Amino acid sequence: MYSNWVTVDTSAIRNNVQYVLEHTQTQVMVIVKANAYGHGTIPVALAAIEAGASWCGVARFSEALELRRANINCPILLMGFTPKEHFEDMIVNQVSMTIWDPDQIPWLSTSAERAGQPARIHIKVDTGMSRLGIQPEKVLDLVQLLNDNSYIQFEGIYSHFARADEANPAAADLQWDRFLGVLADLDSENVRPPIVHIANSASSLTRAETSLSLVRFGIAMYGLHPSAECHLPEEFRPALSWTSILSQVKTLPPGRGVSYGHEYVTKGYERIGTIPVGYADGFRRLPGNQVLVGGKRVPVIGRVTMDQILVQLDKVPESKTGDEVVLIGRQGDEVISAEDVARVWGTINYEVACAVGLRVPRIYK
Ligand SMILES: Cc1ncc(COP(=O)(O)O)c(C=O)c1O
């Protein structure tokens, strides 16, 4: 029915959420930002909640609204920047927001007053990621501002690891110690935020002590390895596969140029296949790509074009128009994983999953 399509196995999502729930014995916030890492926000969120996840984490207010519009009523944390013009909308929709700067407070309380209900907030502490967050030594002052403000509900405090997916634990240890230091400082002032969190996929699987009130579970929920140094236990299953078909198969004579620029020229009589996927679908315009045809890896030849690629099919002489092509996933005994694709593209599996374009239909099983 389609030129190329993504299949998301929601039972893999459920399986992976159940694993982390059992393993950490704490609440799970599933990270469904960026269209659930390309997998599709709503079906992933529903599967994860069905499996026992209690929170959803997003990066943009539009992603929070998408969840609410689909009647997903669980707590949502907006982990990124929220333009102040959208504070009121987030409060009305009972989306918890991330705060890291005292300057956010006046607008937040004005918005809460207008909304007629308190703003729920989590303070983000920069313990070493250096991206978003208040410096540890300034947390107490910010908390003081919140305590004096009846329009603000101080729901939680959190931080984010920069290097929990590395074999060497030193950098993550330092962040963990800084975070514990902040919690101890608050405790000495009798401030005990209800929800305290720092763990991502990597640390929730490798550092039991970091699970705290909840774990923010992203890449591992999709069955993708946090990094080459932090592999998932074998119980995890990848949820996403990306498939297409051979739209044409032909034999070309020697000396024929293939695709724009004729970077590939046939050496002899060669079987060449055309596949309706291109860089506009997110298939990167880089050399070295491979796909599966007839259960075998075949090379993508010539330049990737906007809507189509070409493959050399001499290894699969029986292949014909209409045959299935796997870009990511399993075919017979062969697998091309998101990690394999990431190596060819010079990136990480996170970016591969997010790269699959919006024009590619997602099918859920
Ligand atoms: C603040 C925050 N928490 C949690 C996560 C989830 O991380 P992971 O996908 O490595 O589990 C992310 C992802 O980028 C994030 O930005």
Side-chain angles (χ1 to χ4, degrees):
M1 267 169 62
Y2 304 110
S3 300
N4 70 86
W5 63 97
V6 155
T7 307
V8 177
D9 178 357
T10 53
S11 76
I13 301 281
R14 285 194 295 275
N15 170 73
N16 302 340
V17 169
Q18 275 157 6
Y19 181 96
V20 79
L21 271 167
E22 279 162 30
H23 183 80
T24 61
Q25 299 287 319
T26 191
Q27 292 196 70
V28 172
M29 175 189 291
V30 284
I31 306 304
V32 292
K33 60 181 177 167
N35 195 28
Y37 294 32
H39 293 62
T41 311
I42 303 304
V44 167
L46 289 174
I49 291 165
E50 194 188 319
S54 24
W55 280 76
C56 285
V58 295
R60 304 273 191 267
F61 72 88
S62 53
E63 295 169 343
L65 287 179
E66 186 185 354
L67 290 165
R68 286 289 182 253
R69 286 186 184 131
N71 292 324
I72 292 179
N73 297 319
C74 69
I76 297 174
L77 176 62
L78 211 175
M79 304 183 297
F81 163 73
T82 310
K84 60 186 185 327
E85 292 76 6
H86 293 283
F87 282 177
E88 190 179 340
D89 207 7
M90 292 299 94
I91 296 165
V92 168
N93 280 285
Q94 303 191 334
V95 173
S96 305
M97 278 179 285
T98 297
I99 296 300
W100 59 90
D101 187 336
D103 288 348
Q104 293 171 295
I105 305 301
W107 197 282
L108 197 63
S109 46
T110 309
S111 305
E113 197 176 348
R114 274 204 302 263
Q117 51 183 305
R120 300 156 195 231
I121 64 103
H122 291 223
I123 292 180
K124 177 90 182 271
V125 189
D126 175 15
T127 56
M129 175 77 175
S130 307
R131 192 171 60 172
L132 200 64
I134 188 161
Q135 293 308 304
E137 63 279 8
K138 296 193 173 142
V139 171
L140 268 176
D141 290 344
L142 181 57
V143 167
Q144 196 55 49
L145 279 177
L146 302 181
N147 284 345
D148 297 341
N149 193 320
S150 59
Y151 286 111
I152 298 179
Q153 185 184 332
F154 179 22
E155 194 174 54
I157 188 160
Y158 76 107
S159 192
H160 187 48
F161 283 120
R163 301 174 66 178
D165 58 344
E166 294 179 10
N168 183 341
D173 283 348
L174 191 61
Q175 282 195 258
W176 174 239
D177 288 345
R178 286 190 186 131
F179 193 53
L180 291 183
V182 169
L183 298 179
D185 288 349
L186 291 177
D187 194 64
S188 65
E189 299 291 321
N190 291 321
V191 180
R192 290 174 196 103
I195 306 172
V196 180
H197 48 117
I198 187 167
N200 57 2
S201 294
S203 67
S204 67
L205 296 169
T206 57
R207 297 166 160 261
E209 71 282 9
T210 62
S211 294
L212 302 174
S213 315
L214 61 80
V215 295
R216 301 193 307 274
F217 195 54
I219 198 78
M221 166 174 54
Y222 305 102
L224 302 175
H225 300 289
S227 75
E229 290 178 12
C230 180
H231 266 234
L232 294 174
E234 60 184 19
E235 289 87 347
F236 278 76
R237 287 181 6 229
L240 180 145
S241 49
W242 191 6
T243 315
S244 187
I245 55 159
L246 287 170
S247 52
Q248 191 185 0
V249 177
K250 55 194 165 289
T251 301
L252 292 179
R256 277 293 177 89
V258 174
S259 189
Y260 291 121
H262 285 176
E263 276 174 19
Y264 184 90
V265 179
T266 54
K267 290 167 212 70
Y269 282 91
E270 291 186 28
R271 277 168 61 74
I272 306 294
T274 308
I275 302 168
V277 64
Y279 59 75
D281 299 297
F283 196 86
R284 293 271 286 274
R285 191 178 172 280
L286 289 171
N289 285 303
Q290 293 186 331
V291 300
L292 301 179
V293 177
K296 296 204 175 83
R297 281 174 182 257
V298 298
V300 175
I301 52 167
R303 289 185 190 156
V304 171
T305 73
M306 190 182 288
D307 314 298
Q308 303 183 73
I309 56 172
L310 294 130
V311 285
Q312 216 281 4
L313 292 173
D314 282 0
K315 252 201 263 175
V316 268
E318 69 287 2
S319 57
K320 57 185 185 316
T321 302
D323 281 1
E324 180 195 78
V325 176
V326 170
L327 314 169
I328 297 177
R330 169 177 293 279
Q331 194 181 53
D333 293 334
E334 266 292 356
V335 175
I336 293 183
S337 64
E339 289 78 13
D340 292 335
V341 176
R343 268 188 293 279
V344 174
W345 291 359
T347 183
I348 51 172
N349 51 6
Y350 292 70
E351 193 183 346
V352 170
C354 291
V356 184
L358 281 178
R359 86 169 178 183
V360 179
R362 268 70 171 172
I363 292 162
Y364 297 92
K365 66 166 195 188

